[in-house]
Every structure is written in C-alpha cells, then in structure tokens.
Coordinates of all heavy atoms in Angstrom, one line a residue:
F1 N 72.9 89.0 -6.2 CA 73.5 90.2 -5.7 C 73.2 90.2 -4.2 O 72.1 90.0 -3.7 CB 72.8 91.4 -6.3 CG 73.3 92.7 -5.8 CD1 74.5 93.2 -6.1 CD2 72.5 93.5 -4.9 CE1 75.0 94.4 -5.6 CE2 73.0 94.7 -4.4 CZ 74.2 95.2 -4.8
F2 N 74.3 90.3 -3.4 CA 74.2 90.4 -1.9 C 74.4 91.8 -1.5 O 75.4 92.4 -1.9 CB 75.2 89.4 -1.3 CG 74.9 88.0 -1.4 CD1 75.1 87.3 -2.6 CD2 74.3 87.3 -0.3 CE1 74.8 85.9 -2.7 CE2 74.0 86.0 -0.4 CZ 74.2 85.3 -1.6
Y3 N 73.5 92.3 -0.6 CA 73.6 93.6 -0.1 C 73.1 93.6 1.4 O 72.5 92.6 1.8 CB 72.8 94.6 -0.9 CG 71.3 94.5 -0.7 CD1 70.6 95.4 0.1 CD2 70.6 93.4 -1.2 CE1 69.3 95.3 0.3 CE2 69.3 93.3 -1.0 CZ 68.6 94.2 -0.2 OH 67.2 94.1 0.0
S4 N 73.3 94.7 2.1 CA 72.8 94.9 3.4 C 71.6 95.9 3.4 O 71.8 97.0 3.0 CB 73.9 95.4 4.4 OG 73.3 95.6 5.6
S5 N 70.5 95.4 3.9 CA 69.3 96.3 3.9 C 69.3 97.4 5.0 O 68.5 98.3 5.0 CB 68.0 95.4 4.2 OG 68.1 94.8 5.5
I6 N 70.3 97.4 5.8 CA 70.5 98.4 6.8 C 71.4 99.6 6.3 O 71.6 100.5 7.0 CB 70.9 97.9 8.2 CG1 72.3 97.3 8.1 CG2 69.9 97.0 8.8 CD1 72.9 97.0 9.4
D7 N 71.9 99.5 5.1 CA 72.7 100.5 4.5 C 72.0 101.1 3.3 O 71.7 100.4 2.3 CB 74.0 99.9 4.1 CG 75.0 100.9 3.5 OD1 74.6 101.7 2.7 OD2 76.2 100.8 3.9
A8 N 71.6 102.4 3.4 CA 70.8 103.0 2.4 C 71.5 103.0 1.0 O 70.8 102.8 0.0 CB 70.5 104.5 2.8
E9 N 72.8 103.2 1.0 CA 73.5 103.1 -0.3 C 73.4 101.8 -1.0 O 73.3 101.6 -2.2 CB 74.9 103.6 -0.2 CG 75.1 105.1 0.2 CD 74.4 106.0 -0.9 OE1 74.7 105.8 -2.1 OE2 73.7 106.9 -0.5
Q10 N 73.5 100.7 -0.2 CA 73.5 99.4 -0.7 C 72.0 99.0 -1.2 O 71.9 98.3 -2.2 CB 73.9 98.3 0.4 CG 75.4 98.4 0.6 CD 75.9 97.3 1.5 OE1 75.4 96.2 1.5 NE2 76.9 97.6 2.3
V11 N 71.0 99.6 -0.5 CA 69.6 99.4 -1.0 C 69.5 100.0 -2.3 O 68.8 99.5 -3.2 CB 68.6 99.9 0.1 CG1 67.2 99.9 -0.5 CG2 68.7 99.1 1.4
K12 N 70.0 101.2 -2.5 CA 69.9 101.9 -3.8 C 70.6 101.1 -4.9 O 70.1 101.0 -6.0 CB 70.6 103.3 -3.7 CG 69.8 104.3 -3.0 CD 70.5 105.7 -3.0 CE 69.9 106.7 -2.1 NZ 70.6 107.9 -2.0
L13 N 71.8 100.5 -4.6 CA 72.5 99.7 -5.5 C 71.7 98.4 -5.9 O 71.6 98.0 -7.0 CB 73.8 99.3 -5.0 CG 74.9 100.4 -5.1 CD1 76.2 99.9 -4.3 CD2 75.2 100.7 -6.5
S14 N 71.0 97.8 -4.9 CA 70.2 96.6 -5.1 C 69.0 97.0 -6.1 O 68.7 96.2 -7.0 CB 69.6 96.0 -3.9 OG 68.6 96.8 -3.3
N15 N 68.5 98.2 -6.0 CA 67.4 98.6 -6.9 C 68.0 98.8 -8.3 O 67.4 98.4 -9.3 CB 66.8 99.9 -6.4 CG 66.0 99.7 -5.1 OD1 65.5 98.6 -4.8 ND2 65.9 100.8 -4.4
A16 N 69.2 99.4 -8.4 CA 69.9 99.5 -9.7 C 70.2 98.2 -10.3 O 70.0 98.1 -11.6 CB 71.1 100.4 -9.5
V17 N 70.6 97.2 -9.6 CA 70.9 95.9 -10.1 C 69.6 95.3 -10.7 O 69.6 94.7 -11.8 CB 71.5 95.0 -9.0 CG1 71.5 93.5 -9.4 CG2 72.9 95.4 -8.6
E18 N 68.5 95.4 -9.9 CA 67.2 94.9 -10.4 C 66.8 95.5 -11.7 O 66.4 94.8 -12.6 CB 66.2 95.2 -9.3 CG 65.1 94.2 -9.2 CD 64.2 94.4 -8.0 OE1 64.4 95.4 -7.2 OE2 63.5 93.5 -7.7
V19 N 67.0 96.8 -11.8 CA 66.6 97.5 -13.0 C 67.5 97.1 -14.2 O 67.0 96.8 -15.3 CB 66.7 99.1 -12.9 CG1 66.6 99.8 -14.2 CG2 65.6 99.6 -11.9
K20 N 68.8 97.0 -14.0 CA 69.7 96.6 -15.1 C 69.4 95.2 -15.5 O 69.5 94.9 -16.7 CB 71.1 96.8 -14.7 CG 71.5 98.3 -14.8 CD 73.0 98.5 -14.7 CE 73.4 99.9 -14.8 NZ 74.8 100.2 -15.0
A21 N 69.2 94.3 -14.6 CA 68.9 92.9 -14.9 C 67.7 92.8 -15.7 O 67.6 92.0 -16.7 CB 68.8 92.1 -13.6
K22 N 66.6 93.6 -15.4 CA 65.4 93.5 -16.1 C 65.6 94.1 -17.5 O 65.1 93.5 -18.5 CB 64.3 94.4 -15.4 CG 63.0 94.2 -15.9 CD 61.9 94.9 -15.1 CE 60.5 94.6 -15.5 NZ 59.5 95.2 -14.7
E23 N 66.4 95.1 -17.7 CA 66.7 95.7 -19.0 C 67.4 94.7 -19.9 O 67.1 94.7 -21.1 CB 67.5 97.0 -18.8 CG 66.8 98.2 -18.3 CD 67.7 99.3 -18.0 OE1 69.0 99.2 -18.1 OE2 67.2 100.4 -17.6
K24 N 68.3 94.0 -19.3 CA 69.1 93.0 -20.1 C 68.5 91.7 -20.2 O 69.1 90.8 -20.9 CB 70.5 93.0 -19.5 CG 71.3 94.2 -19.6 CD 72.8 94.0 -19.4 CE 73.5 95.3 -19.7 NZ 74.8 95.2 -20.1
G25 N 67.4 91.4 -19.5 CA 66.8 90.1 -19.5 C 67.6 89.0 -18.8 O 67.5 87.9 -19.1
V26 N 68.3 89.5 -17.8 CA 69.1 88.5 -17.0 C 68.5 88.3 -15.6 O 67.9 89.2 -15.0 CB 70.5 89.2 -16.7 CG1 71.4 88.3 -15.8 CG2 71.2 89.5 -18.0
K27 N 68.5 87.0 -15.2 CA 67.9 86.7 -13.9 C 69.0 86.9 -12.8 O 70.0 86.3 -12.9 CB 67.4 85.3 -13.9 CG 66.2 85.1 -14.7 CD 65.7 83.6 -14.6 CE 64.5 83.4 -15.5 NZ 63.9 82.1 -15.3
V28 N 68.7 87.7 -11.8 CA 69.6 88.0 -10.7 C 68.8 87.8 -9.4 O 67.8 88.5 -9.3 CB 70.2 89.4 -10.8 CG1 71.1 89.6 -9.6 CG2 71.0 89.5 -12.1
A29 N 69.3 87.0 -8.6 CA 68.6 86.9 -7.2 C 69.2 88.0 -6.4 O 70.4 88.1 -6.2 CB 68.9 85.5 -6.6
I30 N 68.3 88.8 -5.8 CA 68.7 89.9 -4.9 C 68.5 89.3 -3.5 O 67.4 89.0 -3.1 CB 67.8 91.1 -5.1 CG1 67.7 91.5 -6.5 CG2 68.2 92.2 -4.2 CD1 69.0 92.1 -7.1
T31 N 69.6 89.3 -2.7 CA 69.6 88.7 -1.4 C 70.1 89.7 -0.4 O 71.2 90.2 -0.5 CB 70.6 87.4 -1.4 OG1 70.2 86.5 -2.4 CG2 70.5 86.7 0.0
D32 N 69.3 89.8 0.7 CA 69.6 90.7 1.8 C 70.6 89.9 2.7 O 70.2 89.0 3.4 CB 68.4 91.1 2.5 CG 68.6 92.0 3.7 OD1 69.8 92.3 4.0 OD2 67.6 92.5 4.3
G33 N 71.8 90.3 2.6 CA 72.9 89.6 3.4 C 72.7 89.9 4.9 O 73.2 89.1 5.7
Y34 N 72.1 91.0 5.3 CA 71.9 91.3 6.7 C 70.9 90.3 7.3 O 71.1 89.8 8.3 CB 71.4 92.7 6.8 CG 71.1 93.1 8.2 CD1 72.1 93.4 9.2 CD2 69.7 93.2 8.7 CE1 71.8 93.7 10.5 CE2 69.4 93.6 10.0 CZ 70.5 93.8 10.9 OH 70.2 94.1 12.2
R35 N 69.8 90.1 6.6 CA 68.8 89.2 7.1 C 69.2 87.7 6.9 O 68.6 86.8 7.5 CB 67.4 89.4 6.4 CG 66.8 90.7 6.8 CD 65.5 90.9 6.2 NE 65.0 92.2 6.7 CZ 63.8 92.6 6.4 NH1 63.0 91.9 5.6 NH2 63.4 93.8 6.8
N36 N 70.0 87.4 5.9 CA 70.5 86.1 5.7 C 72.0 86.0 6.0 O 72.8 85.5 5.3 CB 70.3 85.8 4.2 CG 68.9 85.7 3.8 OD1 68.1 84.8 4.2 ND2 68.4 86.7 3.0
A37 N 72.3 86.4 7.2 CA 73.7 86.4 7.7 C 74.3 85.0 7.7 O 75.5 84.9 7.4 CB 73.8 87.0 9.1
R38 N 73.6 84.0 8.0 CA 74.2 82.7 8.0 C 74.7 82.3 6.6 O 75.7 81.7 6.4 CB 73.1 81.7 8.4 CG 73.6 80.3 8.8 CD 72.6 79.5 9.4 NE 73.1 78.2 9.7 CZ 72.4 77.2 10.2 NH1 71.1 77.4 10.4 NH2 72.9 76.1 10.4
M39 N 73.9 82.6 5.6 CA 74.3 82.3 4.2 C 75.5 83.2 3.8 O 76.4 82.7 3.2 CB 73.1 82.6 3.2 CG 73.5 82.3 1.8 SD 72.2 82.8 0.6 CE 70.8 82.1 1.1
T40 N 75.4 84.4 4.2 CA 76.5 85.3 3.9 C 77.8 84.9 4.5 O 78.9 84.9 3.8 CB 76.2 86.8 4.4 OG1 74.9 87.2 3.8 CG2 77.2 87.7 4.0
D41 N 77.8 84.4 5.7 CA 78.9 83.9 6.4 C 79.5 82.6 5.7 O 80.7 82.5 5.5 CB 78.7 83.6 7.9 CG 78.5 84.9 8.7 OD1 78.9 86.0 8.3 OD2 77.9 84.8 9.8
K42 N 78.5 81.7 5.4 CA 78.9 80.5 4.8 C 79.6 80.7 3.4 O 80.6 80.0 3.1 CB 77.7 79.6 4.6 CG 78.0 78.2 4.0 CD 76.8 77.4 4.0 CE 77.1 76.0 3.5 NZ 76.0 75.1 3.4
L43 N 79.2 81.7 2.7 CA 79.8 82.0 1.4 C 81.0 82.9 1.5 O 81.7 83.2 0.5 CB 78.7 82.6 0.5 CG 77.6 81.7 0.1 CD1 76.5 82.5 -0.7 CD2 78.1 80.5 -0.7
G44 N 81.3 83.4 2.7 CA 82.5 84.3 2.9 C 82.3 85.7 2.4 O 83.2 86.3 1.9
L45 N 81.0 86.2 2.4 CA 80.7 87.5 1.8 C 80.5 88.6 2.8 O 80.2 89.7 2.5 CB 79.5 87.3 1.0 CG 79.5 86.3 -0.2 CD1 78.2 86.2 -0.8 CD2 80.6 86.8 -1.2
K46 N 80.6 88.3 4.1 CA 80.3 89.2 5.2 C 80.9 90.6 5.0 O 80.3 91.6 5.1 CB 80.7 88.6 6.5 CG 80.2 89.5 7.7 CD 80.5 88.9 9.0 CE 80.0 89.7 10.1 NZ 80.2 89.1 11.4
D47 N 82.2 90.6 4.7 CA 82.9 91.9 4.5 C 83.1 92.3 3.0 O 83.8 93.3 2.7 CB 84.3 91.8 5.1 CG 84.3 91.5 6.6 OD1 83.4 92.0 7.3 OD2 85.1 90.7 7.1
K48 N 82.4 91.7 2.1 CA 82.5 92.0 0.7 C 81.2 92.6 0.1 O 81.2 92.9 -1.1 CB 82.8 90.7 -0.1 CG 84.2 90.1 0.4 CD 84.4 88.8 -0.4 CE 85.7 88.2 0.1 NZ 86.0 86.9 -0.5
M49 N 80.2 92.8 0.9 CA 79.0 93.3 0.4 C 79.1 94.8 0.2 O 79.8 95.5 1.0 CB 77.8 93.0 1.3 CG 77.5 91.5 1.4 SD 76.0 91.2 2.3 CE 76.3 91.8 3.9
P50 N 78.4 95.4 -0.8 CA 77.6 94.7 -1.8 C 78.4 94.1 -2.8 O 79.5 94.5 -3.2 CB 76.8 95.9 -2.4 CG 77.6 97.1 -2.2 CD 78.4 96.8 -0.9
A51 N 77.9 93.0 -3.3 CA 78.7 92.2 -4.3 C 77.8 91.4 -5.2 O 76.8 90.9 -4.8 CB 79.6 91.3 -3.6
L52 N 78.2 91.3 -6.5 CA 77.6 90.4 -7.5 C 78.4 89.1 -7.3 O 79.6 89.0 -7.4 CB 77.7 90.9 -8.9 CG 76.8 92.0 -9.3 CD1 77.2 92.6 -10.6 CD2 75.4 91.5 -9.4
V53 N 77.6 88.0 -7.1 CA 78.2 86.7 -6.8 C 77.7 85.7 -7.8 O 76.5 85.5 -8.0 CB 77.9 86.2 -5.4 CG1 78.6 84.9 -5.1 CG2 78.4 87.2 -4.3
E54 N 78.6 85.0 -8.5 CA 78.2 84.0 -9.4 C 78.4 82.6 -8.7 O 79.5 82.3 -8.3 CB 79.1 84.0 -10.7 CG 78.7 82.9 -11.7 CD 79.6 82.9 -12.9 OE1 80.5 83.7 -13.0 OE2 79.3 82.0 -13.8
I55 N 77.2 81.9 -8.6 CA 77.2 80.6 -8.0 C 76.8 79.6 -9.0 O 75.7 79.8 -9.6 CB 76.3 80.6 -6.7 CG1 76.8 81.7 -5.7 CG2 76.3 79.3 -6.1 CD1 75.8 81.9 -4.6
S56 N 77.5 78.5 -9.1 CA 77.2 77.4 -10.0 C 77.3 76.1 -9.3 O 78.4 75.8 -8.7 CB 78.0 77.5 -11.2 OG 77.7 76.4 -12.1
K57 N 76.3 75.3 -9.3 CA 76.3 74.0 -8.6 C 76.8 74.1 -7.2 O 77.6 73.3 -6.7 CB 77.2 73.0 -9.4 CG 76.6 72.8 -10.8 CD 77.5 71.8 -11.6 CE 76.9 71.7 -13.0 NZ 77.7 70.8 -13.8
G58 N 76.3 75.1 -6.5 CA 76.6 75.2 -5.1 C 78.0 75.8 -4.7 O 78.4 75.9 -3.6
E59 N 78.8 76.2 -5.8 CA 80.1 76.7 -5.6 C 80.2 78.2 -6.0 O 79.6 78.5 -7.1 CB 81.1 75.9 -6.3 CG 81.4 74.6 -5.8 CD 82.5 73.9 -6.6 OE1 83.4 74.6 -7.0 OE2 82.5 72.6 -6.7
V60 N 80.9 79.0 -5.3 CA 81.1 80.4 -5.7 C 82.1 80.4 -6.8 O 83.2 80.0 -6.6 CB 81.6 81.2 -4.5 CG1 81.9 82.7 -4.9 CG2 80.5 81.3 -3.4
K61 N 81.7 80.9 -7.9 CA 82.6 81.0 -9.1 C 83.3 82.3 -9.2 O 84.5 82.4 -9.6 CB 81.8 80.8 -10.4 CG 81.2 79.4 -10.5 CD 82.2 78.3 -10.6 CE 81.6 77.0 -10.8 NZ 82.5 75.9 -10.8
S62 N 82.6 83.4 -8.8 CA 83.2 84.7 -8.8 C 82.5 85.7 -7.8 O 81.3 85.5 -7.6 CB 83.3 85.3 -10.2 OG 82.0 85.6 -10.6
V63 N 83.2 86.6 -7.3 CA 82.7 87.7 -6.5 C 83.2 89.0 -7.0 O 84.4 89.2 -7.1 CB 83.1 87.5 -5.0 CG1 82.6 88.6 -4.1 CG2 82.6 86.1 -4.4
K64 N 82.3 89.9 -7.3 CA 82.7 91.2 -7.8 C 82.1 92.3 -6.9 O 80.8 92.4 -6.8 CB 82.2 91.4 -9.2 CG 82.6 92.8 -9.8 CD 82.2 93.0 -11.2 CE 82.7 94.3 -11.6 NZ 82.0 94.8 -12.8
S65 N 82.9 93.1 -6.3 CA 82.5 94.1 -5.4 C 81.8 95.2 -6.2 O 82.2 95.5 -7.4 CB 83.7 94.7 -4.7 OG 83.3 95.8 -3.8
V66 N 80.7 95.8 -5.7 CA 79.9 96.8 -6.4 C 79.9 98.0 -5.5 O 79.4 98.0 -4.4 CB 78.5 96.3 -6.6 CG1 77.7 97.4 -7.3 CG2 78.5 95.1 -7.5
K67 N 80.5 99.1 -6.0 CA 80.6 100.3 -5.2 C 79.6 101.4 -5.8 O 79.2 102.3 -5.1 CB 82.0 100.9 -5.2 CG 83.0 99.9 -4.6 CD 82.7 99.8 -3.1 CE 83.8 98.8 -2.5 NZ 83.4 98.3 -1.2
S68 N 79.3 101.3 -7.1 CA 78.5 102.2 -7.8 C 77.7 101.6 -8.9 O 78.0 100.4 -9.3 CB 79.3 103.4 -8.3 OG 80.1 103.0 -9.4
D69 N 76.8 102.3 -9.5 CA 76.1 101.8 -10.7 C 77.0 101.3 -11.8 O 76.7 100.4 -12.5 CB 75.1 102.9 -11.3 CG 74.0 103.2 -10.3 OD1 73.9 102.6 -9.2 OD2 73.1 104.0 -10.7
S70 N 78.1 102.0 -12.0 CA 79.0 101.6 -13.1 C 79.7 100.3 -12.9 O 80.2 99.7 -13.8 CB 80.1 102.7 -13.3 OG 80.9 102.8 -12.1
D71 N 79.7 99.8 -11.7 CA 80.3 98.4 -11.4 C 79.3 97.3 -11.7 O 79.7 96.1 -11.6 CB 80.7 98.3 -9.9 CG 81.8 99.3 -9.6 OD1 82.6 99.6 -10.4 OD2 81.8 99.7 -8.4
I72 N 78.1 97.6 -12.1 CA 77.1 96.6 -12.3 C 77.2 96.1 -13.8 O 76.8 96.8 -14.7 CB 75.6 97.1 -12.0 CG1 75.6 97.6 -10.6 CG2 74.6 96.0 -12.3 CD1 74.3 98.4 -10.3
N73 N 77.8 94.9 -14.0 CA 77.9 94.4 -15.3 C 77.6 92.9 -15.3 O 78.0 92.2 -14.4 CB 79.4 94.5 -15.8 CG 79.8 95.9 -15.9 OD1 79.1 96.7 -16.5 ND2 81.0 96.2 -15.5
F74 N 76.8 92.5 -16.2 CA 76.4 91.1 -16.3 C 77.0 90.4 -17.5 O 77.1 91.0 -18.5 CB 74.9 90.9 -16.4 CG 74.1 91.6 -15.3 CD1 73.3 92.7 -15.5 CD2 74.2 91.2 -14.0 CE1 72.6 93.4 -14.5 CE2 73.6 91.9 -12.9 CZ 72.7 92.9 -13.2

C-alpha cells in the first residue's frame, strides 16, 4: 500500500489497510510514498496514491486506487 504521510486522510487509510490485512492474515507492506518519492516515481505511482499495488518479481502487476475503506480488498 502506497500513501502520502503528509495527507491526513491517506494516513487514516493506511491504518485501515493495516487493520484489514491483520484481520485477513494477509501481508501488506505499507510504504510512505512521500518519504520514498524515488520509488514512487520509478513505479509510476506519484499521481495514483493512495493505492494498493501488487508487485511480483519486480514488476507492477496491478494498481488499485483507494479512496475509502470500502475500496480495500485483498
């Protein structure tokens, strides 16, 4: 999950992702795209955050925009 730590709503969503992942027993890396701007730029996520991103073998498989708790699906 990529989000920006300078946006309060995105921080709330990151917390919700963490809770849902724990409930479902799914491992999700929570990444602050603001602090990791280089990685965000490299993956083409700068204007897509907050987003759930599936990465496999170094390749982005899918990007799903997250606007609310209801968009969090694993």
